[in-house]
Amino acid sequence: MKQIIAFIGLFMPQNAIAFARWGSASELRATVNGEENLTTLDVLSLDSIRSTLIRQEETVIFALIERAQYRQNRIVYEREGYGSSLGKPPGYQSDGKDDEELSFLDFMLIGTEILHCGARRFTSPEEHPFFPEKLPSGPMDALPSLQYPNDLLSPVGGANEVNFNKKLLQKYTEIIVPSICKGGDDEQHGSTTLCDIAALQALSRRVHYGKFVAESKYRSNPDAYQKLVDAGDAEGVMKLLTNAVVEEQVLRRARLKAATYGTEPMLTDLPKIQCSDMASIVAAAAASAVVAAMEALDNEHLAKGKVDPVAIESVYRDIIIPLTKDIEVAYLFRRCGKEPPAEYLS
């Protein structure tokens, strides 16, 4: 029974899980209202970070599903793709020597990051800009500064500044988009770039959580990592931080979630919901999720969803997990006082 509940819980929305655990909506509201407010220190505790990694799977997968509804629209990734200059977005920081043309995605992404920079997004240790050199020096003066834990990441060797977004952006446009989107152009270029930005920000946050994971692993075994780094043994560091069992669980979970979230509810196969009773709604949703999950293992059903679950699994296997581990290696080398090997430079 515990295994069945755990399996169904994998696909239940967080609010539904909370409801099932805590009782009626009024009781839930009372519980929430009775709790003390959280601070940024609470939200970014190491315990919170570990649980966040799994929750981020939903964010990443939903973002990729949204992007998959449009064609590849390669023109948005090409500099001078529209035959004339797009100019620079408002707030763009230039040294006067930067005359490189921007692609439409670059233009929109830089403009978004400029806006988000003003709202303090990149003061958070879990957020990383794609174009840090093009952004203002800091957030708007009117906003109060936020207090973050000063011991989550180490500043030694610039470890906390590791940023692999340039590599991520290249892999996204050259590998991920072709793997989840149909070829061709549908003229929905604005919507395409908005989906791209949401997906890129979600992917960036996910892979750079590798720095938090690396710090946690370092603290659990500092001598072993220091010895490997001193010897310049990047392969040894990679081997020590790798957990093949966990990686396999991540891949399986990503495929199942993609199959579930990318499939329309099969209303004809579900029990009728006679009232607004939450238990009935949760049961119906769980039944649909279980069927979709089982079909994820059947290749005949894979093409029916909004996105190919195998493609999402491949994104995790070939890009997200390897890039996360590269970030971990780069962080650990800097954390131990040495420059990482060339293949681990951002």
Side-chain angles (χ1 to χ4, degrees):
M1 178 61 71
K2 290 183 179 179
Q3 291 178 333
I4 295 175
I5 293 174
F7 180 77
I8 293 176
L10 175 64
F11 303 100
M12 291 170 61
Q14 293 300 314
N15 288 342
I17 295 175
F19 182 92
R21 181 177 179 183
W22 298 114
S24 68
S26 60
E27 291 172 342
L28 180 59
R29 283 194 297 271
T31 301
V32 172
N33 293 334
E35 291 286 347
E36 295 182 1
N37 291 332
L38 295 177
T39 67
T40 304
L41 297 176
D42 298 318
V43 174
L44 284 181
S45 68
L46 286 175
D47 286 341
S48 176
I49 288 168
R50 281 190 286 268
S51 64
T52 296
L53 282 173
I54 293 179
R55 292 202 308 273
Q56 286 184 20
E57 291 170 3
E58 281 83 357
T59 305
V60 169
I61 292 171
F62 275 121
L64 295 179
I65 289 174
E66 284 296 292
R67 177 60 181 92
Q69 68 183 298
Y70 302 109
R71 297 299 180 97
Q72 290 186 30
N73 295 329
R74 303 301 305 177
I75 191 173
V76 304
Y77 309 130
E78 300 170 1
R79 292 192 173 95
E80 299 184 2
Y82 294 94
S84 60
S85 175
L86 295 171
K88 302 294 189 290
Y92 180 95
Q93 301 298 303
S94 174
D95 58 6
K97 301 177 182 179
D98 186 2
D99 57 358
E100 186 178 64
E101 292 296 333
L102 302 176
S103 69
F104 187 40
L105 174 60
D106 291 343
F107 182 95
M108 294 288 286
L109 182 52
I110 293 173
T112 299
E113 290 192 336
I114 290 171
L115 181 63
H116 290 185
C117 179
R120 305 179 298 190
R121 178 171 192 150
F122 302 116
T123 64
S124 168
E126 58 184 348
E127 298 289 352
H128 300 75
F130 283 84
F131 296 93
E133 70 281 1
K134 309 301 182 187
L135 303 184
S137 58
M140 294 182 288
D141 294 335
L143 294 177
S145 60
L146 297 175
Q147 298 300 315
Y148 292 99
N150 56 16
D151 62 346
L152 277 179
L153 297 175
S154 172
V156 175
N160 58 344
E161 298 177 358
V162 169
N163 186 331
F164 272 52
N165 273 344
K166 283 184 170 55
K167 288 185 177 181
L168 173 60
L169 180 57
Q170 181 181 8
K171 290 179 181 295
Y172 176 81
T173 58
E174 295 180 0
I175 301 175
I176 295 180
V177 169
S179 73
I180 64 173
C181 300
K182 293 181 180 179
D185 192 294
D186 58 16
E187 298 185 346
Q188 307 306 304
H189 300 165
S191 297
T192 293
T193 57
L194 292 179
C195 288
D196 283 333
I197 291 170
L200 283 166
Q201 289 177 333
L203 288 165
S204 173
R205 193 164 183 256
R206 170 59 180 82
V207 298
H208 284 99
Y209 257 75
K211 295 197 291 186
F212 296 106
V213 175
E215 177 64 22
S216 178
K217 291 180 178 179
Y218 173 83
R219 293 183 186 184
S220 67
N221 198 356
D223 293 338
Y225 283 109
Q226 188 68 57
K227 182 178 180 180
L228 289 169
V229 170
D230 288 342
D233 187 0
E235 185 177 343
V237 172
M238 179 68 78
K239 183 177 180 180
L240 183 58
L241 63 81
T242 296
N243 188 327
V245 174
V246 171
E247 290 180 10
E248 184 59 34
Q249 291 173 347
V250 170
L251 293 176
R252 181 173 176 82
R253 198 164 55 233
R255 178 169 175 167
L256 291 176
K257 287 182 178 181
T260 303
Y261 304 147
T263 304
E264 293 293 336
M266 294 162 290
L267 299 178
T268 57
D269 298 330
L270 295 180
K272 290 185 178 180
I273 301 176
Q274 301 294 344
C275 60
S276 60
D277 176 56
M278 179 59 76
S280 298
I281 296 174
V282 170
S288 177
V290 170
V291 173
M294 293 301 99
E295 289 185 347
L297 305 178
D298 183 355
N299 290 333
E300 293 182 2
H301 293 84
L302 293 180
K304 295 182 179 180
K306 299 173 184 177
V307 68
D308 184 353
V310 175
I312 299 299
E313 181 182 20
S314 297
V315 168
Y316 268 85
R317 183 184 62 247
D318 301 332
I319 296 177
I320 294 178
I321 291 177
L323 199 55
T324 301
K325 291 165 67 175
D326 286 351
I327 289 171
E328 291 182 34
V329 171
Y331 178 91
L332 287 166
F333 262 79
R334 293 185 183 278
R335 177 71 167 84
C336 294
K338 290 193 69 173
E339 188 77 2
E343 61 267 33
Y344 296 103
L345 292 175
S346 56

